[in-house]
């Protein structure tokens, strides 16, 4: 396949695969697409190890790194990362803590053991994401992506100085134009069907709006509910230069998705997701479970702004994962989950996408009488 993004990065297929799992990233890049590692959950030291591993296992193929540098978040004016954690924790209301403990107790979820609490802030802020960017740019990455709002202009310039292209996710045309204004090279137009943070405009409507808004000089990737070759063909027909995928990699052989969550994903239908603030404080599409329902119930105190919501629930998520409780187990995933009913190697998912894409083109050519 030849599109502007395949020519730009020297890849065989215009398929970008977002994953927090290094094995998936390397496998997709080796298969001819481009894996993009989500850096959010790693400390700078952990990210260094992950990227070193990818460098050694990607076979010289290009890959990318995705960070989260939100344009707006609580505590943006509270100082460096060290001060930020303590001060934000002090701002979490006691009522929210009580609600969470009562919810966990109702489902028999025990406290953590001697290992204690885990990471609470992660890369949700400018202060905590910048060290991740520094680490990423020390490696031969081809792409740096930002998941929430336009990245800071100086970060874009820094990436360009290293010969790295920059992508930004946008959920409407206005956001896409802001991305272009700061120098972003590629817009990931992400429809509401997507997993994780997403807006409320559907992919079918969003893609042509963004393509028209940014103009012919800016490349666009279609995202949101894309996990089949027919959907890939639709995104390309709407003007995209490639596709950005995420949810479909949660159930591949290489994925490190927790087993309880993987089982629920394999059983879920496309109606079993919901946009909820219960994970991060911003709207994110999650698997619909007792967890999301509890946060929407009348007894809920409501969610906290980013990053305080995740700081509140981070230990709870670990406790749920270790408890064996299936009712509260949730996971960020898009509506394509209804088609995710088989466990396959990541490379096979890539090849299946391309095979069905070609079949879709053949069907259209037969309709038009094209050779």
């Amino acid at each position: 396949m030849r599109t502007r993004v395949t020519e730009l990065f020297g890849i065989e297929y215009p398929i970008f695969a977002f994953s927090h799992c290094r094995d998936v990233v390397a496998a997709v890049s080796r298969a001819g697409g481009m894996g993009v590692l989500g850096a959010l959950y790693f400390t700078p030291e952990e990210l260094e190890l992950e990227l070193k591993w990818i460098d050694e296992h990607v076979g010289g193929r290009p890959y990318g790194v995705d960070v989260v540098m939100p344009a707006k978040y609580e505590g943006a004016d509270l100082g460096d990362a060290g001060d930020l954690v303590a001060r934000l924790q002090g701002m979490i209301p006691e009522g929210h803590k009580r609600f969470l403990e009562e919810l966990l107790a109702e489902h028999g979820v025990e406290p953590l053991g001697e290992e204690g609490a885990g990471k609470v802030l992660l890369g949700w802020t400018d202060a905590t994401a910048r060290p991740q960017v520094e680490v990423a740019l020390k490696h031969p990455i081809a792409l740096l992506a930002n998941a929430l709002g336009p990245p800071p202009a100086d970060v874009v310039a820094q990436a360009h100085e290293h010969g790295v292209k920059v992508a930004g996710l946008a959920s409407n045309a206005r956001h896409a134009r802001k991305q272009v204004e700061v120098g972003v090279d590629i817009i990931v137009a992400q429809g509401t069907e997507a997993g994780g943070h997403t807006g409320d405009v559907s992919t079918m409507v969003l893609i042509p709006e963004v393509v028209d808004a940014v103009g012919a000089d800016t490349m666009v990737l279609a995202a949101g509910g894309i996990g089949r070759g027919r959907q890939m063909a639709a995104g390309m027909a709407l003007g995209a230069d490639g596709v950005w995928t995420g949810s479909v990699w949660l159930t591949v052989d290489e994925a490190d998705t927790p087993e309880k969550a993987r089982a629920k994903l394999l059983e879920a239908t496309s109606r079993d997701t919901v946009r909820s603030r219960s994970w991060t404080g911003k709207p994110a599409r999650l698997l619909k479970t007792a967890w999301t329902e509890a946060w929407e119930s009348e007894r809920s105190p409501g969610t906290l702004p980013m990053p305080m919501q995740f700081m509140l629930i981070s230990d709870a998520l670990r406790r749920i994962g270790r408890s064996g409780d299936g009712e509260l187990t949730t996971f960020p995933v898009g509506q394509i989950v209804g088609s995710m009913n088989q466990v396959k190697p990541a490379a096979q998912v890539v090849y299946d996408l391309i095979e069905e894409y070609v079949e879709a083109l053949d069907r259209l050519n037969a309709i038009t009488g094209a050779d």
Side-chain angles (χ1 to χ4, degrees):
M1 295 181 65
R2 288 186 179 180
T3 72
R4 289 188 293 178
V5 293
T6 63
E7 296 294 319
L8 178 64
F9 294 110
I11 56 180
E12 295 176 56
Y13 310 120
I15 299 172
F16 292 71
F18 169 83
S19 175
H20 291 291
C21 177
R22 66 187 187 183
D23 298 81
V24 174
V25 170
V28 172
S29 287
R30 289 197 305 268
M34 181 182 286
V36 181
L37 182 71
L40 175 67
Y41 293 101
F42 303 114
T43 66
E45 295 76 19
E46 291 169 342
L47 182 60
E48 171 63 32
L49 295 175
E50 297 296 298
L51 297 184
K52 182 179 179 182
W53 186 93
I54 294 175
D55 293 341
E56 296 170 351
H57 292 82
V58 79
R61 300 294 185 94
Y63 72 95
V65 171
D66 179 281
V67 296
V68 178
M69 303 184 79
K72 296 180 180 179
Y73 59 91
E74 194 73 14
D77 58 346
L78 294 183
D80 62 28
D83 292 334
L84 189 59
V85 172
R87 296 178 72 174
L88 286 174
Q89 284 180 323
M91 294 165 60
I92 296 176
E94 290 299 320
H96 283 71
K97 296 177 184 178
R98 285 195 301 272
F99 167 76
L100 184 56
E101 285 301 323
E102 291 171 1
L103 176 61
L104 296 174
E106 288 172 7
H107 290 267
V109 178
E110 299 291 336
L112 291 173
E114 296 181 357
E115 73 278 12
K119 294 171 285 188
V120 297
L121 185 56
L122 305 179
W124 292 121
T125 70
D126 184 283
T128 51
R130 282 183 181 270
Q132 296 174 332
V133 172
E134 296 289 341
V135 170
L137 293 178
K138 292 178 182 177
H139 291 262
I141 66 172
L143 179 70
L144 179 70
N146 186 50
L148 276 175
D154 68 296
V155 171
V156 176
Q158 186 181 6
H160 287 164
E161 288 173 2
H162 285 76
V164 175
K165 299 299 181 183
V166 180
L169 275 70
S171 58
N172 59 53
R174 181 174 60 86
H175 291 167
R177 285 190 288 265
K178 286 187 175 182
Q179 299 274 12
V180 174
E181 289 172 3
V182 299
V184 164
D185 305 289
I186 300 169
I187 302 298
V188 180
Q190 181 175 270
T192 192
E193 298 92 327
H197 294 113
T198 185
D200 53 11
V201 181
S202 71
T203 302
M204 184 68 72
V205 172
L206 180 66
I207 305 306
E209 284 187 352
V210 169
V211 169
D212 293 344
V214 302
D217 293 336
T218 302
M219 289 170 277
V220 175
L221 300 179
I226 296 177
R228 303 282 299 271
R230 281 174 283 179
Q231 294 157 336
M232 179 178 174
M236 307 285 277
L238 293 171
D241 295 279
V243 294
W244 177 279
T245 57
S247 297
V248 291
W249 311 107
L250 293 172
T251 53
V252 298
D253 279 334
E254 296 88 344
D256 57 1
T257 307
E259 283 306 312
K260 285 192 289 291
R262 186 199 296 258
K264 296 188 77 168
L265 294 173
L266 290 169
E267 295 174 358
T269 72
S270 58
R271 300 183 65 187
D272 291 328
T273 71
V274 63
R275 286 176 75 235
S276 171
R277 295 179 182 267
S278 64
W279 192 274
T280 71
K282 288 183 181 289
R285 188 170 296 282
L286 309 174
L287 195 64
K288 183 166 56 178
T289 69
W291 171 270
T292 58
E293 291 173 355
W295 282 99
E296 293 297 325
S297 68
E298 291 184 358
R299 67 188 181 108
S300 168
T303 57
L304 298 172
M306 176 181 278
M308 293 166 60
Q309 179 68 15
F310 188 83
M311 294 177 71
L312 169 68
I313 71 168
S314 60
D315 284 347
L317 296 177
R318 295 178 68 210
R319 290 165 61 180
I320 292 167
R322 297 182 184 191
S323 70
D325 178 82
E327 292 186 355
L328 288 179
T329 299
T330 187
F331 214 80
V333 70
Q335 291 179 327
I336 190 63
V337 68
S339 297
M340 294 160 46
N341 46 31
Q342 288 183 306
V343 178
K344 301 178 182 179
Q348 187 60 53
V349 174
V350 173
Y351 303 146
D352 288 348
L353 277 164
I354 297 303
E355 182 177 0
E356 189 173 290
Y357 170 85
V358 172
E359 291 174 354
L361 292 187
D362 288 343
R363 186 162 54 250
L364 292 174
N365 287 335
I367 293 172
T368 62
D371 293 330

